[in-house]
């Protein structure tokens, strides 16, 4: 009898254990997992959360769904596992520094203000074990906004500029927004330095584009000049060198920005000697005009037209060089000659340019 009872008990325990074991089946969840990401400059912002639905509930006024005042706990800003937000570089959140890393994201609502908690202890189920004193790397308070109704809780990236955006938690008709900013120049330049040590080190285009970005953002100009030279001259032993109109133009612009007048003259003279297709010659002559090198543009167009006669856009550029050198007669001669072979779709604009030359009102576009 005792043996029978013992065997029965063992069977019962085995049944309980087998039902309690975990499995790996993918079963649809009431609050499914969501992962959203946005790049800001070179900074990746990634949010992992589970998305509950309203299902007819007044969630913002139900303390069983969203605890109020942190009592008894903060809100996990989602469902299931705690919401996390990751920044690949240092950022400013509502004007306060937050280092690169992964953070648990929690919210404490109180009297329609919302305190946002970024916790370095991020791997938690919900907010149950969050230590609001020891786990928090940053705390900011924001005001809510109205938004279009969202049945499912979600995160949106809003009002994006070159160096900032707003992250908005939206659920129902309420949005909890917070602004994220990056130091664009610092993060991008640091990224360039790292990337240019990898496979990009063998590509002249990468060095040129990094230099050009710094030029256009007026930052890190001395190092950008080194990068332009690396694009032109290559690496150790001249490996992967590629002197061309594109990177020489970048170098010229950097030298001008750095007020290296003599080097500008020498580099322009060097670039004028490079072999170029007619389209490259067009681009470089326009570049010279846009940057005020009118005599160089005239000389370059003359050289290019010797090997590529009767190319209408080179004739036009030579005419514009003459115009800016105050030789209106020669300018009109070249422009009218160019008109004879100009494709029909460009003739209307060229006729306008001729009138602008006649009246002295022509201005070359910046781009």
């Amino acid at each position: 009898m005792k043996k029978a009872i013992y065997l029965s008990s063992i069977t019962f325990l085995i049944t309980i254990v087998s039902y309690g074991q975990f499995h790996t089946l993918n079963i649809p969840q009431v609050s499914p997992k969501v992962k959203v990401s946005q790049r800001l400059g070179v900074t990746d912002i990634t949010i992992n959360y589970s998305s509950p639905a309203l299902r007819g509930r007044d969630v913002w006024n139900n303390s069983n769904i969203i605890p109020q005042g942190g009592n008894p706990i903060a809100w996990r800003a989602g469902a299931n596992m705690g919401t996390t937000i990751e920044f690949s570089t240092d950022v400013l959140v509502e004007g306060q520094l937050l280092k690169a890393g992964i953070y648990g994201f929690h919210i404490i609502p109180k009297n329609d203000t919302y305190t946002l908690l970024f916790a370095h202890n991020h791997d938690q189920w919900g907010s149950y074990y969050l230590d609001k004193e020891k786990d928090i790397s940053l705390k900011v308070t924001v005001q809510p906004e109205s938004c279009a109704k969202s049945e499912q809780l979600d995160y949106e990236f809003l009002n994006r500029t070159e160096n900032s955006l707003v992250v908005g938690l939206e659920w129902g008709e309420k949005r909890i927004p917070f602004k994220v900013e990056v130091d664009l120049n610092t993060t991008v330049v640091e990224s360039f330095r790292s990337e240019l040590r990898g496979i990009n080190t063998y590509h002249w285009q990468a060095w040129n584009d990094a230099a050009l970005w710094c030029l256009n953002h007026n930052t890190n100009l001395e190092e950008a000049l080194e990068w332009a030279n690396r694009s032109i001259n290559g690496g150790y032993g001249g490996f992967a060198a590629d002197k061309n109109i594109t990177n020489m133009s970048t170098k010229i612009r950097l030298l001008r920005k750095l007020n290296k007048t003599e080097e500008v003259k020498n580099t322009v003279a060097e670039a004028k000697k490079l072999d170029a297709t007619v389209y490259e010659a067009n681009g470089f002559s326009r570049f010279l005009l846009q940057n005020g090198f009118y005599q160089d543009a005239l000389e370059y167009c003359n050289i290019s037209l010797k090997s590529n006669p009767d190319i209408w856009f080179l004739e036009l550029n030579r005419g514009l060089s003459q115009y800016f050198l105050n030789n209106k007669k020669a300018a009109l001669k070249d422009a009218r000659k160019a008109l004879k072979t100009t494709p029909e779709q460009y003739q209307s604009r060229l006729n306008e340019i001729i009138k602008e030359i006649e009246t002295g009102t022509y201005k070359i576009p910046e781009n």
Side-chain angles (χ1 to χ4, degrees):
M1 183 66 179
K2 289 181 178 180
K3 185 176 181 180
I5 293 172
Y6 174 75
L7 290 173
S8 178
S9 298
I10 292 295
T11 303
F12 179 69
L13 287 172
I14 291 172
T15 303
I16 291 175
V17 171
S18 65
Y19 275 110
Q21 288 176 340
F22 291 99
H23 55 70
T24 59
L25 289 178
N26 282 317
I27 297 178
Q29 300 296 305
V30 175
S31 300
K33 291 181 179 180
V34 182
K35 181 178 182 179
V36 292
S37 187
Q38 173 69 57
R39 176 159 288 191
L40 180 61
V42 295
T43 302
D44 289 321
I45 304 170
T46 304
I47 305 173
N48 277 284
Y49 65 101
S50 293
S51 174
L54 291 175
R55 302 199 309 274
R57 300 173 297 174
D58 182 9
V59 295
W60 293 104
N61 295 302
N62 187 333
S63 59
N64 291 321
I65 300 171
I66 300 178
Q68 301 297 304
N71 183 24
I73 58 173
W75 179 43
R76 70 188 81 187
N80 303 332
M81 282 293 291
T83 298
T84 64
I85 183 166
E86 180 177 5
F87 303 100
S88 64
T89 72
D90 295 353
V91 297
L92 295 177
V93 175
E94 289 293 310
Q96 298 188 47
L97 177 64
L98 187 61
K99 292 289 187 180
I102 303 176
Y103 296 91
F105 182 55
H106 311 264
I107 298 178
I108 298 178
K110 187 176 182 180
N111 300 328
D112 211 31
T113 63
Y114 293 80
T115 299
L116 315 183
L117 308 177
F118 296 83
H120 44 262
N121 184 7
H122 62 82
D123 191 16
Q124 295 191 11
W125 179 267
S127 300
Y128 297 107
Y129 303 105
L130 177 70
D131 188 324
K132 293 193 284 288
E133 299 300 324
K134 296 180 180 179
D135 291 345
I136 306 305
S137 296
L138 178 65
K139 180 190 300 185
V140 298
T141 300
V142 298
Q143 301 296 318
E145 299 174 348
S146 298
C147 65
K149 186 176 181 179
S150 176
E151 172 65 22
Q152 285 80 29
L153 183 151
D154 65 3
Y155 285 82
E156 299 288 344
F157 298 103
L158 311 163
N159 304 334
R160 192 172 72 246
T161 69
E162 193 175 32
N163 70 324
S164 70
L165 55 75
V166 171
V167 178
L169 183 162
E170 297 183 355
W171 201 15
E173 296 179 346
K174 184 173 288 189
R175 175 189 297 135
I176 311 301
F178 60 93
K179 187 175 184 178
V180 178
E181 299 170 88
V182 296
D183 184 332
L184 192 67
N185 290 350
T186 297
T187 54
V188 172
V189 168
E190 287 180 355
S191 178
F192 286 161
R193 289 173 183 149
S194 175
E195 291 183 273
L196 289 169
R197 291 169 64 102
I199 190 66
N200 286 301
T201 199
Y202 303 112
H203 300 286
W204 71 264
Q205 299 94 331
W207 293 96
N208 180 73
D209 286 352
L212 189 60
W213 190 92
C214 292
L215 173 66
N216 291 336
H217 289 80
N218 196 30
T219 189
N220 197 48
L221 297 181
E222 290 287 357
E223 188 173 16
L225 181 57
E226 294 176 15
W227 293 345
N229 281 324
R230 175 62 181 270
S231 175
I232 294 165
N233 301 321
Y236 182 77
F239 183 74
D242 196 323
K243 182 188 292 185
N244 55 63
I245 290 294
T246 299
N247 51 25
M248 290 292 279
S249 298
T250 300
K251 181 177 179 178
I252 292 165
R253 290 180 61 196
L254 280 164
L255 289 169
R256 286 193 73 196
K257 196 83 169 182
L258 292 165
N259 297 314
K260 298 179 184 287
T261 307
E262 194 61 32
E263 290 182 58
V264 169
K265 293 179 182 178
N266 294 336
T267 307
V268 168
E270 191 177 355
K272 285 161 60 178
K273 298 176 183 177
L274 293 175
D275 291 333
T277 67
V278 290
Y279 297 106
E280 288 173 332
N282 177 50
F284 188 59
S285 56
R286 298 285 293 182
F287 167 82
L288 292 171
L289 288 169
Q290 288 166 347
N291 287 276
F293 298 105
Y294 304 132
Q295 185 61 41
D296 288 298
L298 176 60
E299 293 170 3
Y300 186 71
C301 287
N302 283 330
I303 293 169
S304 299
L305 282 164
K306 283 182 180 179
S307 53
N308 301 284
D310 301 321
I311 300 298
W312 71 272
F313 44 77
L314 293 178
E315 289 175 337
L316 172 60
N317 291 348
R318 182 172 64 181
L320 295 176
S321 304
Q322 299 278 19
Y323 170 79
F324 287 110
L325 290 169
N326 297 315
N327 191 343
K328 186 184 291 188
K329 183 177 179 180
L332 286 169
K333 180 180 178 181
D334 276 335
R336 287 167 179 156
K337 184 179 178 183
L339 185 61
K340 295 177 182 178
T341 54
T342 299
E344 185 177 351
Q345 64 265 36
Y346 300 117
Q347 288 182 4
S348 176
R349 175 56 188 146
L350 184 48
N351 276 312
E352 292 176 352
I353 290 173
I354 290 171
K355 290 180 182 178
E356 290 168 5
I357 292 173
E358 290 172 338
T359 58
T361 58
Y362 177 79
K363 292 182 180 179
I364 192 165
E366 291 185 6
N367 295 310

